[in-house]
Amino acid sequence: MGWLPLPILERLEWQAYDLKVRSTLSEKADPSLAIIDIDERSLYEIGQWPWPRATVAELVETLFSVYDAELLGVDVVFAEPEIALWQQHWEDFIRDYPQLNELPPPVDGDEQLASTLSKYPVVLGYYFQSSRQSSDPPAIGLLPGPVNVEEPTPLPFPEPERYTANMPVLQKNAWNAGFFDNPRVDEDGVFRRVPMLQRWEGELYPSLPLAMLLTLLGQPSITPIIGEGAGVSQLEALNVGGFEIPVDARGAALVPWYGPRGHFDYISAADILNERLEPGALAGKALILGASAPGLMDLRSTPVGGVYPGPEINLSLLAGMLHQSIQAQPPWVLGFELVNLLALGVFMVLLYPRLNAPLLLVVSVGLLFTAVGGNLWAWYQGLALPIAGLLVLLATQMLWHLAMNFLRETQQKRWVAERFGQYIPHQLVKDMVESGESFGLEGEERELTVLFSDMRDFTAFSEMLPPSELTEVMNRLLSPLTGAIHRHNGTIDKYMGDAIMAFWGAPLNDKHHADHALEGTFAMLDALEAINSEFIAEGKPALAIGVGLNTGAMSVGNMGSSFRMAYTVMGDNVNLGSRLEGLTKMYGVSVIVSDTTADQAPGWCYRRLDKVRVKGRSTPLWILEPLGRWEALSEEKREWHAAFEQALEHYHAADFESAARAFCTLDQEDLPTQLYLARIAHFKAAPPQEGWDGVWTHTEK
């Protein structure tokens, strides 16, 4: 059924075809079609099969004369003459029983049946065989006359080696006959298609359903329809008196399954012979005579049932011809499948390597629904298109690329972990892998936020401890501080004794690196507070920390020598971060950030400490102390912040009198307030030059 004749693909195609058949069965049976059933009740009432030909003749007569049937197909063969003992030895009977001599000779059952057949439209059945044993005769009985087929060239119809047909006396009186064998059963033993014609000694003979259609239509000629597809010409359909029957290249039609066994009406032959139906009950009906009794039933395996009567298969084909509902597989189907396979393959090869696993699954499911939906749509349009090749291609491509995706992800995770695991937390390594970004160790310039922290008076603290205890204290101190940085996506650059250097925004891109750096900084202060509680309980002095943060363009990457490398940041903005950490001592605060950091994290409240020039930079900048997130500040803290900002405005406006009054209202233990009061006193005694910009220049680191 598909382009590639691989056994596994063929079986998958058969299964897909069967599934489509079962999912689109009709619930309505054609009331003009029925089966005259030689069932168990008929055998009980009439007697075991075969019945006397006179009984069969009576059955046929009753169907047409009493019940007004329109057409009868016979799904049994009358290949041998009816010979009874009393017929063979009639003369012996007369000699032994002279009184019988006055009776008329017994009626010949074959002649009686032949006489009945001649009166009514009855189509007999027979069968061909694809092969024969050397001991088998090539033919039994008489074939009907061949059909008139307008072949442009000899077409590849099946050519059997022998046949078993009806007795000449019966065949000559029947209106027509057709074969009911099927040489096109698929290799899994399932009936899916049946040949409409077979060739014997150069002549063509119809199947039983086709012979019945020909009889209904008055024996028209058959015109083959040749189609073009995939660069070849082949048989596409048969035109029978205006009825078009889709067939494959060898003249076989797909059976149009309407329902499971029993879909059509079954009428017991006993009810016909005993005239239990209303007169005229079968008017206008086309009938097939067949057997469902155990031992007689012609059983077949089909897509709609493993045990299916042969007569119902033939009736389904007749219904499909009459209703023009036989599925078609025109020659262009193979080319269509090939184009679809190539297009889908190219599409997936180009797209799938670019997708991560979840998106790849989503796209695959979308393609699956599209392929299945399109195939079902074509089915309802009367086209039986192959689907297995597309499904196999979809499944293999999806599984292959999922496996490659997993392999790439595993390799990338290992690569990232090997190179960045020593700098950043495990969770961040996982985020880097899942982000799908490309990470490298080569140097590049990025906007980052850098942090420098240093312990206050740690030298004096360490002198109080022996070296072994100092190592333990350092671990107790640096571990929670490092954890605070890691929890907020920071990357540890290096430890410098009690000092820590870290940065945010690399290797994983982080749009909110400044905000996360501030969160990490305040988490460090909280962690230090918890450590100090332990130190105080142990009789050790509490420690203080100074933190400087700066945001700006920096070079980041693996830097060093051929002997040792480190993933670090460098540049003027890194140096500025170090300078800001040093200024925390002069201003008596725990954290100082640059104005660029404050601009990148507007959700925080900052106190402007000073406008300064740091050592090594000529450009002035504002340094600020972050007080916390705006929404977390108390009303009292907000008022204090506003008062300090107002005092600072007076100072930078050189209104030293107003500035002094404003600063005097603030907390006098606050070191920045003390610094400004001292400067104001200085400028009152020695006013600054005209055009003073309020910048304070620091000459020390």
Side-chain angles (χ1 to χ4, degrees):
M1 285 188 177
W3 178 265
L4 298 175
L6 301 177
I8 187 170
L9 276 182
E10 280 190 331
R11 291 190 176 272
L12 287 174
E13 195 65 71
W14 293 336
Q15 295 301 317
Y17 174 82
D18 294 349
L19 185 60
K20 285 187 287 187
V21 166
R22 290 192 293 270
S23 63
T24 56
L25 293 177
S26 172
E27 297 181 358
K28 296 181 179 180
D30 187 342
S32 66
L33 302 173
I35 293 174
I36 306 303
D37 191 13
I38 305 172
D39 55 3
E40 287 188 87
R41 185 155 59 88
S42 298
L43 297 182
Y44 178 78
E45 294 185 20
I46 310 302
Q48 293 301 310
W49 185 265
W51 291 339
R53 300 289 161 81
T55 302
V56 177
E58 182 184 354
L59 176 66
V60 174
E61 180 73 32
T62 305
L63 285 170
F64 286 97
S65 64
V66 177
Y67 296 118
D68 298 330
E70 183 174 353
L71 176 69
L72 176 66
V74 181
D75 198 7
V76 294
V77 183
F78 304 106
E80 298 176 353
E82 183 179 58
I83 304 175
L85 181 62
W86 54 273
Q87 287 179 309
Q88 285 182 311
H89 305 286
W90 178 249
E91 293 182 359
D92 295 336
F93 279 123
I94 296 297
R95 184 178 60 251
D96 296 336
Y97 302 97
Q99 64 272 26
L100 296 177
N101 194 36
E102 298 178 3
L103 297 176
V107 177
D108 186 334
D110 293 328
E111 289 290 345
Q112 185 175 349
L113 178 57
S115 175
T116 303
L117 294 178
S118 66
K119 296 189 295 183
Y120 303 111
V122 177
V123 179
L124 296 179
Y126 62 94
Y127 59 89
F128 286 111
Q129 288 178 261
S130 300
S131 60
R132 71 181 181 96
Q133 302 294 329
S134 58
S135 59
D136 294 335
I140 296 176
L142 178 67
L143 286 177
V147 293
N148 181 21
V149 180
E150 301 173 1
E151 286 186 279
T153 57
L155 297 170
F157 295 113
E159 297 188 31
E161 294 189 4
R162 71 181 302 270
Y163 67 81
T164 298
N166 295 280
M167 296 172 52
V169 66
L170 299 180
Q171 184 58 65
K172 290 177 181 178
N173 284 277
W175 286 36
N176 204 345
F179 62 83
F180 49 73
D181 62 284
N182 183 10
R184 294 292 305 279
V185 179
D186 289 325
E187 291 183 6
D188 59 352
V190 178
F191 266 54
R192 295 186 179 89
R193 61 179 75 239
V194 174
M196 292 291 97
L197 296 165
Q198 294 193 62
R199 193 185 303 276
W200 177 263
E201 294 183 350
E203 301 290 348
L204 292 173
Y205 296 86
S207 66
L208 180 59
L210 180 56
M212 293 177 70
L213 178 65
L214 288 167
T215 302
L216 283 172
L217 300 178
Q219 306 299 333
S221 61
I222 299 174
T223 303
I225 299 174
I226 307 299
E228 298 285 340
V232 296
S233 299
Q234 69 177 47
L235 181 62
E236 181 176 327
L238 300 174
N239 187 301
V240 182
F243 286 79
E244 192 168 299
I245 306 171
V247 294
D248 63 13
R250 297 183 61 192
L254 291 168
V255 179
W257 306 102
Y258 291 95
R261 176 182 174 183
H263 177 76
F264 295 100
D265 289 337
Y266 276 72
I267 302 170
S268 174
D271 291 339
I272 300 297
L273 286 167
N274 293 308
E275 299 188 17
R276 297 189 180 111
L277 278 63
E278 292 292 330
L282 304 179
K285 291 182 181 288
L287 310 170
I288 288 184
L289 173 65
S292 69
L296 297 180
M297 182 165 53
D298 180 20
L299 300 179
R300 299 288 184 263
S301 177
T302 70
V304 293
V307 178
Y308 204 85
E312 195 161 353
I313 295 176
N314 288 319
L315 201 60
S316 296
L317 274 165
L318 179 59
M321 296 176 194
L322 293 172
H323 297 297
Q324 295 288 272
S325 59
I326 296 177
Q327 297 288 331
Q329 284 186 322
W332 54 260
V333 164
L334 296 180
F336 177 78
E337 182 186 20
L338 179 61
V339 170
N340 277 346
L341 288 172
L342 289 175
L344 182 62
V346 170
F347 175 78
M348 290 189 292
V349 166
L350 294 177
L351 179 65
Y352 274 21
R354 306 171 185 269
L355 304 179
N356 56 28
L359 191 55
L360 191 148
L361 284 172
V362 170
V363 172
S364 297
V365 170
L367 289 174
L368 174 66
F369 275 100
T370 301
V372 173
N375 195 268
L376 283 176
W377 177 85
W379 178 270
Y380 282 107
Q381 305 308 308
L383 293 173
L385 301 182
I387 186 66
L390 284 175
L391 297 183
V392 169
L393 178 61
L394 264 172
T396 53
Q397 285 283 343
M398 180 187 70
L399 293 175
W400 170 259
H401 283 93
L402 280 175
M404 292 298 100
N405 197 299
F406 175 77
L407 181 61
R408 285 196 305 270
E409 183 175 310
T410 302
Q411 292 175 335
Q412 183 183 15
K413 187 172 184 179
R414 186 183 302 115
W415 185 88
V416 171
E418 289 174 354
R419 287 157 178 79
F420 295 101
Q422 56 184 316
Y423 308 116
I424 59 178
H426 173 74
Q427 182 59 42
L428 194 56
V429 172
K430 182 179 178 182
D431 293 342
M432 291 170 64
V433 174
E434 293 177 351
S435 71
E437 296 180 26
S438 176
F439 299 96
L441 294 173
E442 65 277 3
E444 61 174 316
E445 186 172 274
R446 286 196 200 178
E447 184 185 77
L448 308 173
T449 297
V450 67
L451 173 148
F452 285 87
S453 71
D454 189 32
M455 291 295 167
R456 299 287 176 261
D457 301 322
F458 189 77
T459 301
F461 179 88
S462 62
E463 290 175 351
M464 300 168 52
L465 305 173
S468 59
E469 188 176 352
L470 179 60
T471 301
E472 179 191 353
V473 168
M474 286 295 297
N475 291 337
R476 290 173 61 189
L477 187 63
L478 293 177
S479 293
L481 296 180
T482 301
I485 293 171
H486 280 179
R487 284 195 303 275
H488 295 88
N489 298 339
T491 300
I492 298 295
D493 187 304
K494 60 178 67 74
Y495 300 109
M496 298 164 287
D498 59 300
I500 299 175
M501 177 182 174
F503 53 88
W504 279 258
L508 187 67
N509 284 322
D510 184 357
K511 295 180 180 179
H512 307 288
H513 51 83
D515 200 61
H516 291 156
L518 281 163
E519 289 177 347
T521 299
F522 276 80
M524 291 172 67
L525 297 177
D526 292 340
L528 182 61
E529 185 176 347
I531 297 169
N532 280 333
S533 298
E534 297 176 6
F535 285 171
I536 292 172
E538 297 169 5
K540 298 182 181 71
L543 292 171
I545 191 173
V547 178
L549 293 173
N550 182 45
T551 300
M554 306 171 193
S555 294
V556 60
N558 224 20
M559 304 178 192
S561 67
S562 59
F563 300 100
R564 184 171 181 178
M565 304 290 287
Y567 189 72
T568 186
V569 290
M570 296 182 66
D572 183 56
N573 281 308
V574 178
N575 297 332
L576 178 56
S578 177
R579 300 287 187 272
L580 297 181
E581 182 276 319
L583 293 180
T584 57
K585 302 175 186 178
M586 300 180 186
Y587 288 88
V589 295
S590 297
V591 185
I592 290 180
V593 304
S594 65
D595 47 8
T596 53
T597 299
D599 290 341
Q600 291 286 339
W604 296 75
C605 176
Y606 303 93
R607 173 169 65 150
R608 291 186 297 168
L609 292 174
D610 205 355
K611 192 173 184 180
V612 301
R613 288 188 185 91
V614 299
K615 185 176 177 60
R617 286 175 63 104
S618 59
T619 305
L621 75 152
W622 278 100
I623 59 174
L624 307 96
E625 177 193 12
L627 304 177
R629 290 196 176 275
W630 275 106
E631 62 270 16
L633 291 184
S634 64
E635 189 61 33
E636 182 181 1
K637 194 76 170 179
R638 291 172 183 263
E639 291 176 357
W640 172 84
H641 172 263
F644 188 91
E645 289 293 316
Q646 184 62 46
L648 195 62
E649 289 293 332
H650 291 312
Y651 173 80
H652 278 276
D655 185 358
F656 298 119
E657 291 292 338
S658 298
R661 288 193 298 272
F663 278 114
C664 286
T665 63
L666 300 174
D667 182 5
Q668 297 303 299
E669 294 184 4
D670 178 51
L671 185 55
T673 299
Q674 295 174 13
L675 288 175
Y676 276 108
L677 287 173
R679 290 182 190 177
I680 290 169
H682 170 74
F683 285 129
K684 282 183 178 180
Q689 297 179 357
E690 188 175 350
W692 174 69
D693 57 6
V695 175
W696 189 267
T697 301
H698 290 277
T699 58
E700 297 180 0
K701 294 183 180 179

